[in-house]
Amino acid sequence: MKCPVCGLAEMALDTRDAAHVYKGRTVVIPAVTGDHCPACDECLTEHRETDKIIQAVNELSKQVDAPA
């Protein structure tokens, strides 16, 4: 399947670390299994992996947005 975001490459099932940036801070989510695009780094995941990513991103946003 071609990447639905960039359309440049075929998606490949793989397990990789995924990074997410929020307000200049980065969280790395280890071992995300899904269909990864080698051209734009988009990743399509199943529910369990998506939940893992959402949990990590929510934790990062709480840390970044916490009152100083």
Side-chain angles (χ1 to χ4, degrees), residues 9-61:
E10 291 292 320
M11 302 295 281
L13 182 61
D14 197 3
T15 300
R16 304 178 188 171
D17 292 348
H20 180 79
V21 179
Y22 178 73
K23 294 185 179 179
R25 299 261 312 267
T26 302
V27 63
V28 176
I29 303 101
V32 175
T33 300
D35 291 314
H36 294 264
C37 176
C40 73
D41 290 328
E42 180 65 27
C43 180
L44 304 176
T45 60
E46 296 292 332
H47 293 288
R48 182 181 301 167
E49 294 297 288
T50 301
D51 289 344
K52 180 169 72 173
I53 294 166
I54 290 170
Q55 182 178 1
V57 170
N58 285 342
E59 184 59 35
L60 174 64
S61 67

